[in-house]
Amino acid sequence: MKTSMHSDADCVNTMSTVRARAKKKPAAVELPGDQPLRSSGRQAKRKATETEEEEDISEKKYRKCEKAGCTATYPVCFASASERCAKNGYTSRWYHLSCGEHFCNECFDHYYRSHKDGYEKYASWKRIWTGNGKSEPSLKAFMADQQLPYWVQCTKSDCGKWRQLTKEIQITSTLATTYRCGMKLNNVKSEGPDQCCQPEDMRVAEVIDSWWHSMLILPPLLKDSPADPFLAAYYPDCVGMSPSGSPCSHSIHNMKAEHCKTFQPQIAGLSPYFQPFYQPNECGKALCVRPDVMELDELYEFPEYSRDPTMYLALRNLILASWHRDCKEVLTPQKCAPHIIVRGLVRVRCVQEMERVLYFMTRKGLVNTGILNVQQPLLPKEYHNKSVIVIGAGPSGLAAARQLQNFGIQVIVLEARDRIGGRVWDDTSLGVTVGRGAQIVNGCINNPIGLMCEQLGIKMHKLGERCDLIQEGGRVTDPTIDKSMDFHFNAILDVVAEWRKVKTQHQDVPLGEKIQEIYKDFIHESGIQFSDLEEKVLQFHLSNLEYACGSNLKQVSARSWDHNEFFAQFTGDHTLFNAGYSSVINKLGDGLDICLKTPIQSIDYSGDEIKVATSNGSQWTAQKVLVTVPLALLQKNVIQFNPPLPERKLKAIHSLGPGIIEKIALQFPYRFWDGKIQGADFFGHIPPSSDKRGLFGVFYDMDPQGKQSVLMSVITGDAVSFIRDLEDKQVVDMCMNVLRELFKEQEVPELIKYFVTQWSKDTWSQMAYSFVKTGGSGEAYDIIAEEVQGKVFFAGEATNRHFPQTVTGAYLSGIREASKIAAL
């Protein structure tokens, strides 16, 4: 059987006739089935003028839609299900779905009345809907979900008109991608010379108006959405999808909620690190959205969806799922539109709205971010009329510049060093990549570093949990002692957490002091005496805490040391970035206009144009400036601002500390540690005394494949000051002595090569990462991030309250500022 679409011309002519019909008196009024309309006795006895009788007959011939505000003067029944269908004639009641879509009372009865032919079809649909969904399985919902005709847009570049398909035709993403006006399903030929010249149905133009959406009776529920597999644990109609088109949900909703708690959908070809949606009962996962709720920034941008967010959620979820299914290519409106499968004119509206939602999500860095080959600007022309100077080519500066350039905004990057990367600096001189700065990714789920690795095809090494603690003398510490002291250490931190609940910022004390106080109280009250070894293991854990803070604990705020833990953090695997952060940072810089060896001396934002002066005498101008220099340089006024920065911002800048850790990397002729460590990725060094805490606390095996023989260790806390003025060789000798103690039962070979970092002496960083000083608070990160007069913006890890101290945090701060700059 050959099925073809209605002629586009027929469709247009029908609508034109319906809307233009004059109210002429009919010779006879007939119902479907050629049955004459009989007057009731009451009508026969009624006394009225001839004009009133004529108007009564006309009213019965053409009844208006009773929905207040509906523009359809002469509704047409789209269903044509009943033999007595009113078509475009009289019915006792019109049922309104949208301003261009109605069905008559006769077709309502055809499905709703149990003795009618269509009832079983409605009842069958109702069972599926009730089994999968949460919303009312009303007849209007049935008509919208099953009976409305589909609309499809011509894909010819010079056409783009919308056409209504016959009711029998099911639209697919393939059809939507290839449709041309007049196309037949069987042979893809046109009816006539050029069907694109036929005018578009007049109802389409109305869909664009804002009032049209307010007149929509039911929100659109998509079928076969790319988000389906991600959201199988949800009621489909709560996340913008049709319960009749979500077969994967049947078994899930029979499970109890607690069983869904840890459910993660397994989607072929999808990175396990991509989990953009919260599952039911799940929380605390960074860069994750609830598919059934709009975020605050979404409500701010799209207030019209505050009362019923269904359409927005359907589109946002579709876009987010589509992006994570293929993050290597730019996601365009043309790629998204074919996957919007919904009946009725609302599909026209959804496609139009999808473009707005996609641009918003692109600007916010939720999609179309990372390392993409962008041929055309990602945002419309109205965003392009800006010029931006980015100061600093570290992860935050490059992330922002990349985004801005992809948006279509003119941008230049000025960097003081002779290289890009800032505090990301990889060294390959030892035969493997060793990060002089960052190299570990803490939590890979939804981490943008994981996204960029996926885009580039780079694999990271998952770090195991095993970490043997070795004492000087060579003995491996009993794991039960380690677990016991780890418990006591965390118990101390729990007491700190309870203490700070009732303390104001002015009552803050140093974290080290508070830990010591709680420890002494515990010893006194419990009567427990820790052994010498247990005391040393506790010192190891304190060393790790100083590593995390980037400072000795005498400077760190007891009240706010872990302020970011109040926000959702990145979860999942902790990985060693074998290829090094430079592998993505360098790609971010590709194609950008970057001026190296260009130290900035001053920023004058007193006029309409911002003037940026360099120490070599050159000057640059732009409408916006993004400052991404490290916190230590802001504290030392390396850049002069005119006017000076607000006092509030300066206070915040000085309430944070410029944390410092140093690294040492050692290359050996062979892997002498393998026998003792037995495949672990790292091992710990128990300090012999508290004054040696922080000296080489952890050693990392830098080649998990076991081919190269390189160890890397860290220097933290007071030990940083201790080695500051030593020669590199002296630091290396100290480290070698430690290794000989840890592996006393065997020979530790002489070194081949080594390096020791000196971040504290680095002119353009003078630090590793920030921390909250005693008396400060996490709010300082937000204050530093505030723009000044809509002209000067700030990014970097010390501006990211949620993810400070990390490359990820720096990168995301750049994405954040690019979004702010583009929106202004």
Side-chain angles (χ1 to χ4, degrees):
M1 171 178 158
K2 293 183 179 179
T3 305
S4 65
M5 304 174 190
H6 283 313
S7 162
D8 298 322
D10 291 343
C11 176
V12 174
N13 291 338
T14 300
M15 284 309 302
S16 300
T17 304
V18 170
R19 289 176 174 272
R21 184 182 286 110
K23 288 187 178 180
K24 62 181 181 179
K25 293 186 293 182
V29 180
E30 296 183 349
L31 289 173
D34 298 325
Q35 297 297 318
L37 178 66
R38 296 183 179 181
S39 297
S40 67
R42 183 172 299 181
Q43 286 174 325
K45 294 176 182 178
R46 190 175 58 156
K47 295 181 180 180
T49 62
E50 184 178 346
T51 303
E52 288 172 333
E53 289 174 353
E54 290 173 358
E55 288 178 353
D56 185 59
I57 293 170
S58 178
E59 177 66 19
K60 288 187 175 182
K61 175 76 173 176
Y62 309 112
R63 179 181 287 273
K64 291 182 179 180
C65 174
E66 296 174 3
K67 172 74 173 174
C70 181
T71 56
T73 307
Y74 306 112
V76 178
C77 180
F78 64 78
S80 299
S82 169
E83 292 182 356
R84 295 170 61 83
C85 176
K87 309 292 184 189
N88 59 346
Y90 172 81
T91 184
S92 59
R93 178 181 176 184
W94 285 108
Y95 292 87
H96 175 105
L97 292 184
S98 77
C99 284
E101 295 161 321
H102 302 79
F103 61 97
C104 66
N105 194 59
E106 287 72 17
C107 288
F108 177 96
D109 286 347
H110 176 76
Y111 291 110
Y112 192 74
R113 306 300 174 192
S114 60
H115 63 282
K116 297 287 187 178
D117 293 343
Y119 176 77
E120 185 51 43
K121 187 174 184 179
Y122 169 53
S124 175
W125 170 88
K126 190 174 180 179
R127 285 191 293 272
I128 296 173
W129 190 278
T130 305
N132 289 339
K134 202 172 184 181
S135 59
E136 180 68 25
S138 65
L139 191 85
K140 282 189 176 181
F142 167 75
M143 298 298 266
D145 190 69
Q146 297 292 308
Q147 299 302 309
L148 272 174
Y150 283 106
W151 288 75
V152 65
Q153 190 173 25
C154 180
T155 56
K156 286 184 68 175
S157 58
D158 57 347
C159 179
K161 293 187 177 76
W162 285 92
R163 306 301 190 189
Q164 178 179 304
L165 306 182
T166 54
K167 192 174 67 173
E168 295 77 17
I169 295 176
Q170 300 287 324
I171 194 174
T172 63
S173 58
T174 303
L175 175 61
T177 304
T178 58
Y179 177 76
R180 300 290 181 92
C181 290
M183 191 174 91
K184 287 185 178 179
L185 290 182
N186 57 338
N187 55 16
V188 198
K189 287 184 179 179
S190 297
E191 299 173 353
D194 183 11
Q195 293 297 312
C196 290
C197 65
Q198 298 294 339
E200 190 175 59
D201 191 306
M202 291 186 294
R203 290 176 291 174
V204 174
E206 293 182 342
V207 174
I208 301 171
D209 293 333
S210 58
W211 62 264
W212 189 92
H213 180 252
S214 67
M215 296 295 293
L216 197 62
I217 292 296
L218 297 167
L221 297 174
L222 307 186
K223 298 183 179 182
D224 301 323
S225 169
D228 268 356
F230 291 87
L231 307 179
Y234 285 89
Y235 289 108
D237 42 346
C238 292
V239 292
M241 300 188 301
S242 170
S244 70
S246 303
C248 59
S249 63
H250 290 281
S251 59
I252 296 298
H253 292 306
N254 291 328
M255 297 168 62
K256 292 184 178 179
E258 56 265 26
H259 294 159
C260 293
K261 192 169 184 179
T262 57
F263 174 82
Q264 279 299 334
Q266 301 299 312
I267 301 171
L270 189 76
S271 167
Y273 296 150
F274 289 0
Q275 297 177 21
F277 303 106
Y278 278 121
Q279 296 304 312
N281 303 319
E282 192 179 28
C283 63
K285 207 157 60 174
L287 301 192
C288 203
V289 300
R290 281 188 57 181
D292 55 344
V293 175
M294 290 179 72
E295 304 279 322
L296 287 177
D297 56 347
E298 294 175 318
L299 286 166
Y300 182 82
E301 189 82 8
F302 300 94
E304 64 271 30
Y305 291 111
S306 59
R307 294 187 66 180
D308 185 354
T310 307
M311 182 187 291
Y312 179 85
L313 293 173
L315 298 175
R316 178 251 266 161
N317 295 343
L318 180 151
I319 291 168
L320 208 51
S322 298
W323 166 246
H324 284 90
R325 281 170 170 263
D326 182 10
C327 63
K328 297 180 181 180
E329 299 290 337
V330 174
L331 187 63
T332 63
Q334 293 73 27
K335 289 181 180 178
C336 292
H339 296 287
I340 299 175
I341 308 297
V342 63
R343 291 179 179 272
L345 279 165
V346 75
R347 182 168 188 268
V348 180
R349 179 73 177 206
C350 283
V351 170
Q352 293 165 347
E353 287 295 281
M354 175 273 299
E355 195 163 359
R356 286 180 63 210
V357 177
L358 178 60
Y359 288 147
F360 167 75
M361 296 178 72
T362 296
R363 177 168 61 81
K364 297 292 285 187
L366 300 173
V367 301
N368 288 332
T369 188
I371 299 164
L372 288 173
N373 182 20
V374 176
Q375 301 297 326
Q376 299 292 330
L378 297 178
L379 295 182
K381 288 182 179 178
E382 56 263 31
Y383 288 94
H384 300 175
N385 58 345
K386 299 181 186 75
S387 59
V388 181
I389 293 173
V390 175
I391 298 173
S396 59
L398 293 176
R402 179 84 175 199
Q403 286 286 97
L404 291 167
Q405 181 167 290
N406 287 350
F407 292 166
I409 295 171
Q410 181 185 344
V411 61
I412 188 169
V413 182
L414 306 181
E415 168 57 50
R417 302 176 190 272
D418 59 359
R419 61 173 179 83
I420 66 171
R423 283 167 279 176
V424 167
W425 186 15
D426 290 337
D427 189 302
T428 58
S429 65
L430 307 185
V432 293
T433 300
V434 181
R436 287 176 171 265
Q439 195 168 8
I440 292 173
V441 183
N442 294 309
C444 289
I445 293 176
N446 297 334
N447 196 312
I449 303 301
L451 170 75
M452 289 186 280
C453 285
E454 185 73 12
Q455 290 172 325
L456 296 173
I458 296 173
K459 299 296 182 183
M460 294 183 285
H461 172 71
K462 177 183 175 180
L463 291 172
E465 295 183 1
R466 180 181 167 192
C467 179
D468 291 335
L469 303 186
I470 308 177
Q471 306 162 41
E472 293 198 1
R475 177 174 293 182
V476 176
T477 304
D478 185 340
T480 58
I481 295 177
D482 181 22
K483 285 183 180 179
S484 172
M485 296 314 296
D486 183 54
F487 172 82
H488 286 295
F489 173 70
N490 284 301
I492 291 172
L493 295 181
D494 288 341
V495 176
V496 174
E498 285 299 314
W499 166 84
R500 68 185 174 199
K501 286 180 180 178
V502 294
K503 300 299 179 183
T504 66
Q505 196 168 329
H506 299 295
Q507 297 172 303
D508 198 7
V509 297
L511 179 58
E513 179 183 309
K514 194 65 191 175
I515 288 175
Q516 191 64 26
E517 175 191 320
I518 294 169
Y519 173 71
K520 286 180 178 178
D521 288 346
F522 172 74
I523 296 296
H524 176 73
E525 293 173 10
S526 68
I528 293 176
Q529 288 295 323
F530 292 126
S531 68
D532 183 55
L533 176 58
E534 288 172 328
E535 291 278 5
K536 291 176 180 178
V537 172
L538 182 60
Q539 291 298 320
F540 168 82
H541 289 295
L542 288 170
S543 173
N544 252 351
L545 183 58
E546 290 179 324
Y547 182 13
C549 293
S551 168
N552 67 56
L553 302 181
K554 296 189 291 288
Q555 300 183 63
V556 179
S557 164
R559 188 173 172 272
S560 302
W561 71 274
D562 61 344
H563 64 96
N564 59 306
E565 294 296 330
F566 291 97
F567 306 102
Q569 296 296 299
F570 292 104
T571 58
D573 297 340
H574 291 235
T575 59
L576 178 70
F577 203 161
N578 315 59
Y581 274 104
S582 293
S583 59
V584 296
I585 296 301
N586 291 340
K587 285 290 184 181
L588 279 176
D590 283 354
L592 293 177
D593 188 358
I594 302 174
C595 295
L596 300 176
K597 300 180 183 178
T598 310
I600 304 305
Q601 195 170 55
S602 66
I603 298 173
D604 185 342
Y605 61 100
S606 58
D608 292 337
E609 276 201 328
I610 305 170
K611 298 175 183 177
V612 176
T614 66
S615 57
N616 59 19
S618 58
Q619 190 175 88
W620 309 75
T621 60
Q623 294 165 306
K624 314 285 182 187
V625 168
L626 174 59
V627 179
T628 72
V629 300
L631 174 73
L633 302 192
L634 289 176
Q635 291 177 331
K636 294 181 179 180
N637 299 316
V638 170
I639 298 175
Q640 299 297 312
F641 290 88
N642 181 36
L645 294 177
E647 188 63 31
R648 164 183 163 89
K649 186 180 287 287
L650 291 174
K651 185 178 178 182
I653 288 171
H654 289 282
S655 73
L656 299 183
I660 299 174
I661 66 165
E662 301 293 359
K663 286 186 169 185
I664 181 171
L666 312 168
Q667 183 185 18
F668 295 94
Y670 59 89
R671 299 169 59 86
F672 66 88
W673 58 88
D674 272 349
K676 193 166 190 172
I677 304 308
Q678 297 179 348
D681 292 310
F682 44 89
F683 56 92
H685 161 217
I686 300 294
S689 59
S690 59
D691 61 321
K692 295 292 182 67
R693 187 176 84 201
L695 279 172
F696 324 114
V698 181
F699 287 86
Y700 293 85
D701 183 346
M702 298 310 294
D703 185 15
Q705 305 302 318
K707 297 178 181 177
Q708 298 294 326
S709 309
V710 178
L711 291 175
M712 182 273 289
S713 191
V714 291
I715 301 152
T716 63
D718 287 330
V720 173
S721 300
F722 178 73
I723 64 113
R724 177 182 170 88
D725 297 322
L726 298 180
E727 296 292 330
D728 286 358
K729 184 64 171 64
Q730 292 175 288
V731 178
V732 170
D733 288 343
M734 290 172 61
C735 189
M736 288 296 291
N737 288 337
V738 167
L739 283 172
R740 291 187 179 106
E741 281 292 326
L742 299 186
F743 294 86
K744 202 158 190 173
E745 71 283 359
Q746 65 187 80
E747 180 185 355
V748 175
E750 291 299 317
L751 286 171
I752 297 175
K753 287 181 182 177
Y754 63 85
F755 70 72
V756 179
T757 65
Q758 295 286 352
W759 288 107
S760 62
K761 297 179 181 178
D762 185 286
T763 305
W764 302 115
S765 63
Q766 302 182 33
M767 64 178 293
Y769 43 77
S770 62
F771 65 91
V772 180
K773 292 197 295 191
T774 304
S777 77
E779 186 186 7
Y781 287 88
D782 288 338
I783 296 172
I784 298 172
E786 293 172 354
E787 74 269 16
V788 179
Q789 296 183 11
K791 298 177 181 178
V792 183
F793 299 77
F794 294 83
E797 60 85 17
T799 72
N800 195 324
R801 186 176 186 176
H802 290 222
F803 314 111
Q805 306 176 318
T806 62
V807 176
T808 296
Y811 173 87
L812 287 173
S813 73
I815 300 296
R816 177 197 70 213
E817 295 307 303
S819 176
K820 285 163 62 175
I821 291 170
L824 288 175

